[in-house]
């Protein structure tokens, strides 16, 4: 979307490694209107300091958007940490049963009204069905019951993978080897259920992995 769609409207996107907040300050200009980040990120599980990024955004008057899909509102609350807009893929943990496609946006009323009456009503028309909304509400009822076991299982699996002779590296915020474990401990309730890894042997090993 950032490369192939919005550029036709004259919007310029700059990319930065936001694990270091100073990298954001280096790319901001007087024309910057929005900063978008995801934490933990897909697929390398990097963690971004939401409060630090939010402080920079407030200082220069730009909106901060955080993709909170991996954490859900149960594990991480970006708005409490200073974000303006939070997005979720409700297809994943919020739905929880693999039977819907949906997304969710959380923001102040002034932003939600713009999304609804300009973005949805006048531009893309992407309205969720009533039944899919019902399925998300069903999933939310069991979110906390599901997320705790997800986190517990992922932590154990990450430790087991880290000790496996065929594994080169494991990316998981709950491991001592993760460079941002302390940050994750500070802004997340738990470390989530998503793990990434690299196999010894590189791409060839990945293609034959079972």
């Amino acid at each position: 979307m950032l490369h192939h769609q919005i550029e036709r409207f004259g919007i310029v996107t700059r990319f930065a490694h936001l694990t270091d907040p100073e990298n954001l300050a280096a790319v901001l200009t007087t024309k910057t209107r929005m900063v978008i980040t995801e934490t933990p990120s897909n697929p390398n599980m990097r963690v971004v300091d939401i409060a630090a990024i939010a402080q920079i955004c407030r200082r220069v008057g730009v909106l901060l958007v955080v993709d909170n899909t991996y954490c859900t509102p149960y594990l991480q609350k970006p708005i409490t940490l200073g974000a303006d807009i939070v997005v979720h893929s409700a297809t994943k943990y919020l739905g929880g049963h693999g039977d819907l496609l949906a997304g969710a946006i959380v923001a102040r009323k002034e932003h939600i009204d713009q999304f609804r009456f300009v973005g949805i009503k006048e531009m893309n028309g992407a309205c969720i069905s009533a039944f899919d909304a019902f399925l998300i509400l069903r999933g939310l009822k069991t979110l906390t019951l599901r997320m705790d076991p997800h986190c517990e299982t992922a932590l154990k699996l990450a430790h087991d993978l880290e000790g496996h002779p065929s594994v080169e590296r494991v990316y998981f915020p709950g491991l001592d080897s993760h460079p941002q474990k302390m940050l994750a401990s500070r802004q997340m309730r738990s470390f989530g259920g998503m793990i990434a890894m690299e196999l010894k042997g590189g791409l060839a090993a990945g293609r034959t992995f079972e």
Side-chain angles (χ1 to χ4, degrees), residues 18 24 33-38 48-58 61-67 78-79 81-86 106 111:
L18 296 185
L24 172 61
R33 294 293 177 267
M34 180 179 290
V35 172
I36 303 173
T37 189
E38 178 185 34
V48 173
D49 189 333
I50 298 173
I53 296 295
Q55 186 176 23
I56 295 172
C57 289
R58 284 196 300 271
V62 302
L63 294 174
L64 174 59
V65 181
V66 176
D67 185 329
I79 288 180
L81 295 169
D84 298 290
I85 301 168
V86 180
V106 182
H111 299 310

Side-chain angles (χ1 to χ4, degrees), residues 6-45:
I6 66 173
E7 283 186 356
R8 71 184 70 178
F9 301 107
I11 297 173
V12 176
T13 302
R14 294 180 176 86
F15 293 89
H17 289 287
L18 296 185
T19 50
D20 182 352
E22 293 306 313
N23 290 335
L24 172 61
V27 298
L28 291 174
T29 74
T30 56
K31 294 184 178 180
T32 304
R33 294 293 177 267
M34 180 179 290
V35 172
I36 303 173
T37 189
E38 178 185 34
T39 181
S41 62
N42 181 1
N44 49 36
M45 306 307 295

Side-chain angles (χ1 to χ4, degrees), residues 40-202:
S41 62
N42 181 1
N44 49 36
M45 306 307 295
R46 294 188 181 117
V47 179
V48 173
D49 189 333
I50 298 173
I53 296 295
Q55 186 176 23
I56 295 172
C57 289
R58 284 196 300 271
R59 190 164 64 232
V60 297
V62 302
L63 294 174
L64 174 59
V65 181
V66 176
D67 185 329
N68 200 40
T69 296
Y70 270 8
C71 282
T72 78
Y74 179 60
L75 299 184
Q76 183 171 262
K77 300 183 184 300
I79 288 180
T80 301
L81 295 169
D84 298 290
I85 301 168
V86 180
V87 296
H88 297 272
S89 171
T91 303
K92 301 180 178 72
Y93 286 132
L94 297 187
H97 295 79
D99 53 8
L100 65 98
L101 292 173
I105 303 175
V106 182
R108 295 190 300 271
K109 184 178 185 299
E110 62 186 278
H111 299 310
I112 295 297
D113 285 348
Q114 188 173 6
F115 301 147
R116 291 179 63 194
F117 300 120
V118 178
I120 294 177
K121 177 175 175 288
E122 298 179 3
M123 294 180 67
N124 58 36
C127 296
I128 189 173
S129 73
F131 185 67
D132 281 348
F134 161 76
L135 292 178
I136 295 172
L137 290 173
R138 175 203 60 181
L140 287 173
K141 293 177 181 178
T142 61
L143 179 63
T144 59
L145 298 176
R146 291 183 283 107
M147 290 307 297
D148 285 334
H150 281 321
C151 296
E152 293 168 8
T153 302
L155 181 60
K156 183 180 186 306
L157 182 57
H159 280 294
D160 290 346
L161 288 171
E162 198 169 42
H164 197 283
S166 298
V167 175
E168 181 71 31
R169 186 174 180 183
V170 179
Y171 301 91
F172 183 71
L175 293 175
D176 291 338
S177 59
H178 194 287
Q180 294 133 344
K181 181 182 178 181
M182 293 304 296
L183 171 60
S185 301
R186 187 168 70 247
Q187 72 181 19
M188 297 166 59
R189 178 194 293 262
S190 188
F191 299 111
M194 302 302 296
I195 305 170
M197 67 177 182
E198 295 181 16
L199 297 175
K200 293 179 179 177

